[in-house]
Amino acid sequence: MGRNVRRVAILGGGITGLSAAFYLKRHARERNMDVEVTVLEASGRLGGKVNTLRKEGFVIERGPDSFLGRKLPMLHLARDLGLLDELVGTNPQATKTYLASGGSLKPMPKGINLGIPNNLGLFARTSLVSPHGKLRALDEMRIAPREGDGDESIGAFLERRLGREMVEKIAEPLLAGIHSGDLYKLGLAATFPEFREMEKKHGSLIRGMMEAKRLAPTAGAQAAKARAEAVGGYPIPPTVFLTFRNGLSTVIEALEKHLREDGTEIRLGGEVVRLEKASAAYRLHLKDGSALEADAVLLTMPGYASLPLLAPHMELGPLGDMEYVSVANVVFAYDGKGFGHRLDGAGFLVPHSEGLTITASTWTSAKWGHTAPADKRLIRCYVGHAGDDSDVELSDEEMTDRVRSDLRTLMGLAAEPQFVEITRLRRGMPQYGIGHAEHVAAFRKRLAAALPGIFATGASFDAVGLPDCVRMGQDAAEQLLAFGE
Ligand code: FAD
């Protein structure tokens, strides 16, 4: 790093900020560069949304619970932190997923992937979609692709191709669950770009999905090879999702340890409230009245916290109006004796049209063996719809009652929980609207011109998954180093 960029401030101590700090220190050292890094975290703890509670023998995730193993940056980070032997996979017996329909749970229809039929024989047999809905879905193979390159909402795209019934009954609970959003507001290009690619390449999503299924064994073998290479052949579980046996906070704790040993300053309670251009650097004003100078600054907090710091210096554009969805995570711990349900699967999804408080549930102790003692059970339920925060703001008591009532209706579960843990993640899910990727690119261009040496990244910008956050941290570290060279 050049003489003019020695002090770097990283705002936000979530997975993105900590990964950025880790790789910045590491690459600077490899290149014999001298760089002082300060991580400023507003709250009293590191990790941001990653937040594991270890209680009475249970491993409870209050935010994310796992990550996609085929996305390699998280595996690289686990390797770099010496955590490969801590990785655990899902229980191979707990693969079944259910869908709430008419007040009870039905097995997720077969022959459908991400809400799109990929085996027509199996799809024809599902009772969850009416005969008319199925015929309309099959028409998809005859509908010409949309012309032009403009973005559209996922809801509009899927309705155009597969019809409204498929969107409401199948795609909405599956896809909206991933982003906790409104399918008619989420932009296709920033959330499921592969769908548009299939439409363009195969002229049909169904044909594209059937082709992907045909190629799955080859793609799977390639992914397994890449994964093995990423961890130097270390035998890690081969499952789609992975986590750490003591919870995701394991990676945060390891990052903190490495950073402190490496001389990185970590300031908890370090909320930055104003950013000022100083003569050859930037001055950051903290809520506690103190200030700090830095030659380069990386903002990794959610957009609703980072963008106001930039607004006095530049035009934010459409990103300034970005929406966020609040969600609550309600975890029930039970004694296995008298529990009264087999938990024969990974959990269930609930379409909005069912009118329930729960939007989805993970049968955590069945899916992840490490999360509960053998004689206990753990269930996690999600609450919160796009555009309506009322359920998330229910009192703890009322939320518990409503969720338990839904569990009684859907699963016949009446057991008394040993304890309940409720976590509200207000504005927890950024909503990538129509044209989001273009808005981010244009915003970054304006940022580079208005405030050279200031970078903004994190889940509000490019992607929400944990491996993507690690990758964004790695990329930001490279940008900071390149800026100083
Ligand atoms: P954050 O974790 O939000 O961290 C930002 C940090 O910035 C926070 O610690 C905050 O306190 C701090 N901060 C804010 N303002 C300031 C300020 N002014 N000054 C200094 N610091 C500030 N992803 C997966 O891959 N798998 C999952 O299973 C999964 N499940 C999820 C479940 C839920 C309920 C939610 C909400 C998200 C889930 N995600 C999942 C997404 C993933 O958890 C997030 O995208 C990711 O953790 C975001 O990390 P981040 O570091 O970018 O931001």
Side-chain angles (χ1 to χ4, degrees):
M1 187 164 277
R3 262 181 309 133
N4 297 330
V5 182
R6 212 173 40 79
R7 301 160 303 171
V8 176
I10 296 181
L11 277 51
I15 186 88
T16 308
L18 296 179
S19 303
F22 176 74
Y23 284 107
L24 179 58
K25 285 297 272 192
R26 190 182 169 107
H27 295 322
R29 199 173 44 245
E30 283 162 7
R31 294 173 207 181
N32 273 327
M33 293 171 163
D34 182 21
V35 45
E36 282 170 24
V37 180
T38 305
V39 174
L40 295 158
E41 164 54 46
S43 74
R45 51 169 281 279
L46 293 177
K49 294 184 180 74
V50 177
N51 187 357
T52 309
L53 172 72
R54 293 148 189 151
K55 179 172 171 178
E56 298 177 24
F58 292 92
V59 177
I60 294 170
E61 297 292 1
R62 311 187 83 147
D65 72 353
S66 58
F67 61 91
L68 265 177
R70 72 178 157 77
K71 294 194 170 183
L72 305 182
M74 193 71 176
L75 293 182
H76 289 146
L77 183 62
R79 177 200 62 198
D80 296 342
L81 293 169
L83 294 176
L84 292 178
D85 57 348
E86 294 290 312
L87 287 170
V88 286
T90 46
N91 172 4
Q93 260 86 57
T95 51
K96 215 162 156 184
T97 305
Y98 292 87
L99 196 61
S101 173
S104 66
L105 296 182
K106 313 254 163 55
M108 185 66 85
K110 293 202 165 75
I112 292 180
N113 185 21
L114 288 173
I116 296 148
N118 65 357
N119 179 321
L120 301 187
L122 290 174
F123 172 61
R125 272 180 244 158
T126 179
S127 59
L128 289 173
V129 184
S130 72
H132 177 265
K134 286 182 204 167
L135 285 175
R136 170 61 188 87
L138 295 178
D139 248 2
E140 196 271 337
M141 291 191 284
R142 295 192 291 123
I143 296 174
R146 183 174 57 90
E147 308 239 328
D149 272 332
D151 198 6
E152 66 187 311
S153 75
I154 320 170
F157 173 82
L158 290 177
E159 188 169 331
R160 173 165 70 72
R161 299 228 50 102
L162 293 160
R164 180 130 188 116
E165 189 177 337
M166 279 294 284
V167 175
E168 268 179 14
K169 293 195 176 150
I170 310 285
E172 182 261 327
L174 269 171
L175 304 184
I178 297 174
H179 289 271
S180 299
D182 176 346
L183 285 191
Y184 289 87
K185 283 192 177 169
L186 290 167
L188 184 67
T191 51
F192 295 95
E194 64 273 29
F195 288 175
R196 176 68 175 144
E197 284 310 306
M198 281 179 186
E199 183 188 39
K200 281 203 224 159
K201 186 168 170 203
H202 301 279
S204 150
L205 274 181
I206 296 182
R207 271 200 292 274
M209 274 293 178
M210 292 199 293
E211 179 67 358
K213 189 162 189 261
R214 196 180 65 77
L215 297 176
T218 321
Q222 280 167 355
K225 190 162 166 256
R227 196 156 135 156
E229 277 169 14
V231 294
Y234 194 92
I236 59 168
T239 53
V240 174
F241 292 101
L242 295 169
T243 186
F244 298 92
R245 80 178 73 255
N246 273 313
L248 284 169
S249 286
T250 303
V251 79
I252 301 298
E253 289 150 4
L255 279 166
E256 177 176 8
K257 182 167 174 287
H258 272 73
L259 288 171
R260 288 198 191 275
E261 284 170 3
D262 226 353
T264 300
E265 190 189 345
I266 297 176
R267 267 207 225 173
L268 298 178
E271 181 175 348
V272 178
V273 291
R274 191 159 66 87
L275 184 149
E276 185 191 353
K277 267 186 187 173
S279 54
Y282 292 99
R283 189 169 300 124
L284 300 168
H285 296 270
L286 274 64
K287 198 176 179 184
D288 64 9
S290 64
L292 175 105
E293 286 216 347
D295 306 307
V297 180
L298 173 65
L299 294 91
T300 72
M301 57 276 219
Y304 60 78
S306 60
L307 296 171
L309 298 181
L310 306 174
H313 308 280
M314 65 179 283
E315 187 58 47
L316 297 178
L319 282 193
D321 301 322
M322 201 167 155
E323 292 183 22
Y324 302 82
V325 171
S326 298
V327 289
N329 172 10
V330 189
V331 173
F332 295 95
Y334 299 91
D335 198 345
K337 214 158 63 198
F339 177 68
H341 193 281
R342 287 182 300 146
L343 298 186
D344 57 341
F348 62 86
L349 298 166
V350 184
H352 204 168
S353 52
E354 288 289 301
L356 298 178
T357 304
I358 300 190
T359 60
S361 173
T362 306
W363 295 344
T364 310
S365 54
K367 186 174 176 185
W368 300 100
H370 67 283
T371 58
D375 58 343
K376 304 283 179 184
R377 304 287 180 270
L378 195 66
I379 289 187
R380 164 172 161 141
C381 300
Y382 298 86
V383 170
H385 286 111
D388 177 9
D389 283 356
S390 55
D391 283 352
V392 173
E393 295 307 333
L394 290 170
S395 69
D396 282 7
E397 209 175 28
E398 204 171 337
M399 194 183 303
T400 305
D401 285 351
R402 291 244 212 129
V403 173
R404 285 191 67 197
S405 156
D406 287 353
L407 292 178
R408 213 170 294 122
T409 306
L410 296 172
M411 296 169 65
L413 187 66
E416 199 61 40
Q418 192 175 314
F419 63 84
V420 184
E421 287 293 336
I422 298 180
T423 310
R424 292 176 184 79
L425 293 119
R426 295 190 174 89
R427 295 196 281 176
M429 302 295 272
Q431 301 296 289
Y432 298 163
I434 298 166
H436 178 78
E438 287 157 32
H439 298 157
V440 170
F443 159 82
R444 289 215 168 108
K445 239 185 189 164
R446 290 196 299 277
L447 175 61
L451 298 167
I454 305 266
F455 301 90
T457 194
S460 298
F461 293 88
D462 300 312
V464 295
L466 294 170
D468 300 296
C469 292
V470 174
R471 177 187 48 76
M472 289 186 276
Q474 289 170 337
D475 291 350
E478 281 305 320
Q479 282 171 343
L480 285 161
L481 287 169
F483 178 75
E485 275 172 354

